Amino acid sequence: MFGSLDWSTLQQFWWLIVSVVGSLFVFLTFVQGGQTLLLTIPGSEDEKTLMVNSLGRKWELTFTTLVLFGGAFYASFPLFYATSFGGAYWVWILILFTFIVQAVSYEYRRKPGNFLGQKTYEVFMFINGSVGVLLIGAAVGTFFTGSNFTLNEFNLVKWTHPLRGLEAAFSLFNLSFGVFLVFLARTLGALYLANSLDHDGLVARLKKSSFNNLLCALPFLLYVLVSLLLMDGYAVNPVDGTVSLEANKYLGNLLQMPLNLILLLAGLVLVVLGVVVNRFTASVRGIWPAGLGTVLTCLAIFFVAGYNNTSFYPSKADIASSLTIYNASSSHYTLTMMSYVALTVPFVLAYIVWVWRQMDSKKLTIDELAADKKSY
Amino acid sequence: MIEQIDLSMVNWARATFALTAMYHWVFVPLTLGLSFLCAFFETIYVRTGNEQWKKLTRFWMTLFGINFAIGVATGIILEFEFGTNWSNYSWMVGDIFGAPLAIEGILAFFLEATFFAVMFFGWNRVSKKFHLFSTWMVAAGSNLSALWILVANGWMQYPIGMKFNPDMARFEMQDLWAVISSPIAISHFVHATSSGFLLSSLFVVGISSWYLLKKRHIQFAKRSIAVACVFGLLSSIFVAFTGDEHAFLTVRTQPMKLAAMEALYDGHEPTGLTAIGIVNSDKEPGDDQDAFSFKIEIPGMLTLLAHRSFEGFVPGINDLVFGNAEHGITSIEEKIKRGKLAVAGLADYKKAKAADDQVQAGQALSLFDANRDFLGYGYLNSADEAVPPVALTFYAFRIMVGLGTFFILLFLVYIYLLEKRQLENKTFVLKLGFISLFLAWIASQAGWIVSEVGRQPWAIQDMLPVTIARSNLDTGTVMTSFFMFLILFTALLIAELKIMTKQISIGPEGE
């Protein structure tokens, strides 16, 4: 089945898969966003515990999706994996650090004998939700602004900036992208928590918070979108694979891929709809339209970065070294085999949905946590 | 191909990876076995309806959860370190190596992550049977995850199912099934997971023995020991058999590793196995010094292990370094010479292709093809570089095997005493059981030292030395991140140990 597809179709198919995993990851950063809300939203220790326990039942899904995102990139676009991780060293090391400290925080926070203290783990959670997501946003921003690397004739990477990736955070576009993701994660976190908790006071505050965080996200989103439409992009010549700068490349991508434009607009509308419904009606189910909208918006952004003969990881130091989905991918054989493996993804999603429904059919209450010595 | 090789950077990168892997392997083996033990305990609870078994399950599950979190944290670093510290490796073999990692994510991690939440928080939210199913799924997921990472590791030890693509300057996969079903990969998986079961059983036995010594939670401890001892005994016997199979395969695929494990310099027919020995650390390949200051040998045993008969040649380090025409062994010098021809052929091929000189490209490719099997050796500067640290590999192997044998005897004694209802009075045995909790980790880490130190200098056996696999980073950068990881992992390990010991001291009554 997949073996009969030509290499470029498989490469595009795998960009789609990586985009889906990346977009699901962004949706699941509601856990990170929720973690940053722990400082401001809860009015008591019980309320904080309630929020932590709701988020704590989902943190592993976000973590695992990040690992899968890395694994999928490694298997399908190993040259990107090698170039970005080996080159933009410090940005990735710092991102990893924020995720290491998050992984233990839920489990250790309130356990007896915890020598770092409860507050330390709450700070860890906040760092993961703010710095971690900000840096991820800055790293994704380089898909459009480019990075400082060169590749030799054997495709071995050399980074040309002493900050080794951290310089990405000093670009206004990348930084805005990162800040937008932080506020989006907070918006989604508030929506998720409002839907999962049985606590009127807390839910009312979360509903307000989701709206306020969306308002904070909008200027940054606007800046990112306008910049994206106006900036020069890195176009790939489909015949010889050479990369060159093209004025308004990303605007062109949206216009030349109208379905993608619809995807982007529909996604944004759904996010706003989810938040508005939550804020101005009695409904607490805004997480679902907003979540779907997040996935659609992210998909559109990934598609703009990689499709329509575009370099998804451009080099500012040497434009000829820029990575495209064609020159950075695995072999035809590996992409074929991995495509068969990817057929299992719907089954994985199905059991995740099933278990999610089983666990969340009843809202979480303070009384339940008080009776459960295993709670976080 | 590589402009400058900064050996100090390579060594810091190796140290960082070794640090992360060893920390990871503190937590993971416990996860592998304890998840199954929890599943056994809960199955007994569901079948009998006895609430004591539920309490027991929940207690061991708590310790599993504390350990699991940090195992996950160190695991993510390992995956991404391939990119950060070994980016040349990531490019050159990513076409093959990335696949098992991605499959691990899809098929194992999500299983584990999804059902983990039910296992811990679903007691009053889902039915008893669904909860039990979730516990089994977590056990399956954690062990499936080990399968895929050990398939990847097995491929690094014995690279098959691939070819080198000179146009892309990388190795590419040709047969996924060959990679997955590689005998070394399977052998690695069964040996490592069963050693994890063994370690977890000793963990349960050790803590339960401590309760018996303190005369606390007597019934709880005896129940735990009964299940853990049976699981542990079966696992330890399996570990011994798979270890034997592993050594048998190592002779054929990594003869230098086996020679280092035995500190064997000159092969004989038949060759004895050194039971105990003190390695002469001044000994160099080719000199006249004795390899040992002292040793006790079992005659013919190594040949028996290597060939399953008393006939057959087991090559020593000197045979492998200097060659042995009688047994058809090519010297390392010759391999290096041919490897350098392959490297030069590849460089000339790339240049000729860039200049669109088809004739020159064809000649260069022929030179490369004639020597491609020795490509990795082309990056070595001397034959000595192909010899792993002998003393470390030798001692680690003996610690692993010696302790493994002791554990089998320990489980037999525990089962006998349990059967005779005398266990709680045997203070010496209980103390031994408690100490074995720590010995299990020493054996487990020693096993990985044998496996990974024994295959140096190769990132991919015979194909890619670690000096070429590294990222283009300066020493200071890698050294800084090494210390960052060291401090963070150590702090988290201390936190885990304090939480674990507190939880153990509280005991099952707190459940």
Side-chain angles (χ1 to χ4, degrees):
Chain A
M1 183 169 71
F2 292 109
S4 59
L5 296 175
D6 65 59
W7 196 14
S8 71
T9 307
L10 279 172
Q11 287 161 331
Q12 294 185 40
F13 176 60
W14 267 92
W15 185 253
L16 170 70
I17 291 178
V18 166
S19 302
V20 169
V21 176
S23 303
L24 287 174
F25 171 74
V26 175
F27 163 58
L28 290 167
T29 57
F30 69 73
V31 172
Q32 273 67 27
Q35 288 167 192
T36 64
L37 296 174
L38 291 172
L39 289 186
T40 49
I41 299 288
S44 67
E45 199 55 36
D46 280 349
E47 290 180 4
K48 188 192 284 178
T49 299
L50 196 59
M51 287 171 67
V52 168
N53 275 275
S54 178
L55 296 168
R57 290 166 198 209
K58 299 287 181 282
W59 79 265
E60 273 199 76
L61 287 179
T62 318
F63 204 91
T64 303
T65 309
L66 176 65
V67 175
L68 178 60
F69 186 60
F73 249 128
Y74 199 173
S76 54
F77 300 101
L79 189 53
F80 167 76
Y81 194 85
T83 305
S84 180
F85 285 91
Y89 188 80
W90 281 119
V91 78
W92 287 115
I93 291 284
L94 290 182
I95 289 170
L96 290 176
F97 257 72
T98 70
F99 276 85
I100 298 171
V101 295
Q102 184 227 18
V104 296
S105 292
Y106 287 99
E107 195 67 52
Y108 289 7
R109 193 179 75 99
R110 289 203 311 160
K111 285 274 188 303
N114 166 7
F115 90 113
L116 291 176
Q118 182 174 326
K119 279 277 170 226
T120 307
Y121 291 104
E122 286 165 11
V123 170
F124 285 168
M125 287 181 183
F126 181 79
I127 291 172
N128 172 243
S130 53
V131 180
V133 175
L134 179 87
L135 290 176
I136 286 175
V140 174
T142 62
F143 280 13
F144 302 99
T145 55
S147 291
N148 300 283
F149 65 89
T150 63
L151 297 175
N152 71 8
E153 67 272 31
F154 296 98
N155 281 320
L156 304 182
V157 62
K158 189 173 177 185
W159 205 257
T160 60
H161 197 289
L163 289 178
R164 297 208 72 108
L166 284 181
E167 71 277 7
F170 297 103
S171 144
L172 193 57
F173 178 87
N174 296 339
L175 199 59
S176 301
F177 205 106
V179 176
F180 162 65
L181 277 195
V182 171
F183 281 114
L184 177 67
R186 284 168 62 87
T187 307
L188 294 170
L191 291 173
Y192 162 77
L193 287 165
N195 186 44
S196 71
L197 303 180
D198 183 4
H199 188 297
D200 292 343
L202 201 48
V203 168
R205 272 171 271 149
L206 287 163
K207 281 167 148 255
K208 264 189 203 166
S209 174
S210 65
F211 186 74
N212 294 342
N213 276 293
L214 182 68
L215 288 183
C216 293
L218 283 178
F220 296 99
L221 172 66
L222 205 63
Y223 178 78
V224 167
L225 286 179
V226 171
S227 303
L228 198 63
L229 299 179
L230 298 179
M231 70 168 58
D232 294 345
Y234 295 81
V236 183
N237 183 328
V239 179
D240 59 13
T242 54
V243 177
S244 59
L245 270 178
E246 184 180 307
N248 305 111
K249 169 67 179 159
Y250 303 113
L251 172 63
N253 281 0
L254 282 172
L255 297 176
Q256 287 155 24
M257 298 188 289
L259 277 177
N260 198 39
L261 181 61
I262 293 170
L263 209 62
L264 179 68
L265 295 174
L268 292 173
V269 167
L270 280 170
V271 172
V272 174
L273 183 73
V275 174
V276 168
V277 163
N278 241 50
R279 176 69 181 87
F280 298 107
T281 73
S283 171
V284 287
R285 297 188 176 276
I287 181 65
W288 299 116
L292 178 64
T294 301
V295 172
L296 297 183
T297 306
C298 288
L299 275 178
I301 290 171
F302 274 110
F303 293 166
V304 165
Y307 286 148
N308 199 37
N309 297 315
T310 311
S311 164
F312 75 89
Y313 200 55
S315 168
K316 289 196 286 195
D318 168 32
I319 199 165
S321 295
S322 300
L323 304 189
T324 70
I325 58 176
Y326 306 111
N327 68 13
S329 86
S330 287
S331 64
H332 186 278
Y333 178 84
T334 296
L335 292 182
T336 303
M337 288 300 115
M338 291 306 296
S339 299
Y340 285 111
V341 174
L343 290 178
T344 59
V345 169
F347 297 99
V348 174
L349 285 175
Y351 73 67
I352 290 173
V353 170
W354 179 50
V355 168
W356 188 312
R357 284 174 63 92
Q358 294 277 326
M359 289 296 287
D360 288 18
S361 56
K362 212 169 79 180
K363 287 179 189 285
L364 200 59
T365 63
I366 288 177
D367 291 344
E368 183 184 336
L369 293 180
D372 181 7
K373 289 180 180 141
K374 288 274 181 294
S375 68
Y376 287 139
Chain B
M1 181 169 176
I2 301 295
E3 295 145 9
Q4 285 179 317
I5 296 171
D6 182 349
L7 276 178
S8 110
M9 179 268 147
V10 174
N11 287 334
W12 279 108
R14 290 164 89 180
T16 308
F17 200 84
L19 172 86
T20 317
M22 291 185 90
Y23 267 101
H24 188 56
W25 196 249
V26 168
F27 312 108
V28 168
L30 191 54
T31 314
L32 297 179
L34 206 50
S35 58
F36 270 119
L37 279 164
C38 287
F40 296 151
F41 294 142
E42 192 177 342
T43 304
I44 298 172
Y45 159 62
V46 171
R47 287 182 72 94
T48 62
N50 183 340
E51 288 292 320
Q52 292 304 315
W53 282 99
K54 182 180 179 184
K55 187 184 273 189
L56 191 148
T57 307
R58 281 172 66 92
F59 173 75
W60 293 112
M61 227 174 238
T62 304
L63 299 188
F64 171 82
I66 296 164
N67 179 74
F68 180 82
I70 192 162
V72 170
T74 47
I76 192 175
I77 298 302
L78 278 179
E79 175 183 341
F80 288 103
E81 260 179 28
F82 285 115
T84 54
N85 288 5
W86 306 100
S87 66
N88 292 355
Y89 168 94
S90 291
W91 162 243
M92 292 181 76
V93 302
D95 191 71
I96 310 154
F97 191 79
L101 291 192
I103 298 172
E104 182 186 22
I106 299 170
L107 298 184
F109 283 165
F110 277 106
L111 200 65
E112 211 175 357
T114 309
F115 288 99
F116 183 87
V118 184
M119 178 171 149
F120 275 84
F121 305 107
W123 287 103
N124 300 316
R125 286 185 168 248
V126 300
S127 70
K128 252 188 196 179
K129 285 190 175 166
F130 182 53
H131 191 277
L132 177 63
F133 172 74
S134 301
T135 307
W136 277 101
M137 285 300 101
V138 171
S142 55
N143 284 274
L144 257 182
S145 151
L147 169 68
W148 293 106
I149 195 63
L150 290 168
V151 160
N153 183 275
W155 180 81
M156 291 163 80
Q157 312 261 357
Y158 179 50
I160 51 171
M162 51 91 186
K163 65 163 188 185
F164 189 82
N165 179 341
D167 291 306
M168 303 294 279
R170 69 175 177 187
F171 294 91
E172 291 181 351
M173 187 146 59
Q174 292 235 283
D175 186 349
L176 178 62
W177 181 244
V179 173
I180 293 170
S181 63
S182 150
I184 288 287
I186 301 299
S187 168
H188 249 258
F189 169 64
V190 290
H191 191 60
T193 47
S194 52
S195 76
F197 300 164
L198 165 60
L199 181 144
S200 313
S201 303
L202 285 170
F203 178 77
V204 172
V205 168
I207 291 168
S208 303
S209 297
W210 183 75
Y211 284 141
L212 290 181
L213 284 166
K214 296 279 174 195
K215 310 284 183 209
R216 291 173 59 193
H217 319 303
I218 307 286
Q219 280 308 313
F220 164 90
K222 285 187 350 193
R223 280 191 173 118
S224 300
I225 287 174
V227 176
C229 274
V230 173
F231 188 47
L233 179 63
L234 294 174
S235 302
S236 56
I237 292 169
F238 197 62
V239 169
F241 276 111
T242 54
D244 171 64
E245 176 68 12
H246 204 59
F248 179 72
L249 292 169
T250 302
V251 182
R252 280 139 196 88
T253 55
Q254 295 171 299
M256 185 65 89
K257 183 195 276 186
L258 189 93
M261 280 157 63
E262 286 301 316
L264 176 69
Y265 280 83
D266 296 303
H268 305 289
E269 200 173 350
T271 309
L273 179 83
T274 305
I276 305 171
I278 298 174
V279 176
N280 174 6
S281 53
D282 294 331
K283 169 79 178 163
E284 296 287 341
D287 69 17
D288 293 333
Q289 296 188 66
D290 285 339
F292 291 93
S293 308
F294 157 79
K295 74 168 173 176
I296 297 173
E297 191 176 280
I298 307 170
M301 196 63 188
L302 185 60
T303 302
L304 181 66
L305 288 176
H307 295 288
R308 307 263 160 89
S309 87
F310 285 105
E311 288 176 10
F313 181 72
V314 180
I317 293 169
N318 286 336
D319 302 299
L320 295 163
V321 170
F322 302 107
N324 185 327
E326 189 189 339
H327 293 283
I329 299 170
T330 308
S331 71
I332 302 281
E333 289 294 347
E334 177 64 17
K335 289 181 179 177
I336 291 174
K337 206 166 98 188
R338 295 193 61 182
K340 292 201 181 296
L341 289 174
V343 172
L346 181 62
D348 289 345
Y349 173 73
K350 296 290 284 183
K351 271 188 210 152
K353 284 282 278 186
D356 204 20
D357 182 345
Q358 296 301 327
V359 176
Q360 180 65 30
Q363 286 172 351
L365 192 57
S366 298
L367 179 68
F368 172 76
D369 281 340
N371 298 287
R372 70 162 71 205
D373 289 347
F374 303 97
L375 179 65
Y377 287 92
Y379 300 107
L380 301 185
N381 293 314
S382 70
D384 292 352
E385 288 179 39
V387 182
V390 175
L392 181 58
T393 315
F394 174 87
Y395 291 124
F397 182 63
R398 263 136 206 87
I399 289 169
M400 175 184 74
V401 173
L403 287 174
T405 311
F406 164 71
F407 296 147
I408 296 176
L409 296 173
L410 184 76
F411 285 125
L412 284 170
V413 170
Y414 260 79
I415 291 172
Y416 173 78
L417 292 174
L418 262 183
E419 189 65 25
K420 294 281 174 193
R421 301 179 188 280
Q422 292 174 1
L423 181 62
E424 56 203 281
N425 305 320
K426 302 288 179 188
T427 310
F428 176 73
V429 174
L430 292 174
K431 283 182 178 168
L432 213 54
F434 177 64
I435 293 167
S436 296
L437 188 163
F438 305 100
L439 296 180
W441 262 283
I442 292 172
S444 188
Q445 295 283 343
W448 274 108
I449 289 172
V450 174
S451 181
E452 299 305 299
V453 173
R455 75 176 159 108
Q456 292 303 311
W458 302 110
I460 307 290
Q461 184 71 36
D462 295 342
M463 298 289 166
L464 189 67
V466 287
T467 47
I468 303 303
R470 93 283 188 264
S471 296
N472 203 341
L473 295 162
D474 60 82
T475 306
T477 301
V478 185
M479 199 168 71
T480 307
S481 63
F482 170 85
F483 284 109
M484 284 167 68
F485 283 127
L486 178 67
I487 292 165
L488 183 66
F489 289 157
T490 306
L492 294 180
L493 178 66
I494 294 167
E496 147 145 345
L497 288 175
K498 286 186 84 83
I499 293 169
M500 282 278 232
T501 46
K502 185 73 187 173
Q503 211 69 41
I504 291 163
S505 138
I506 294 168
E509 296 308 322
E511 295 303 310

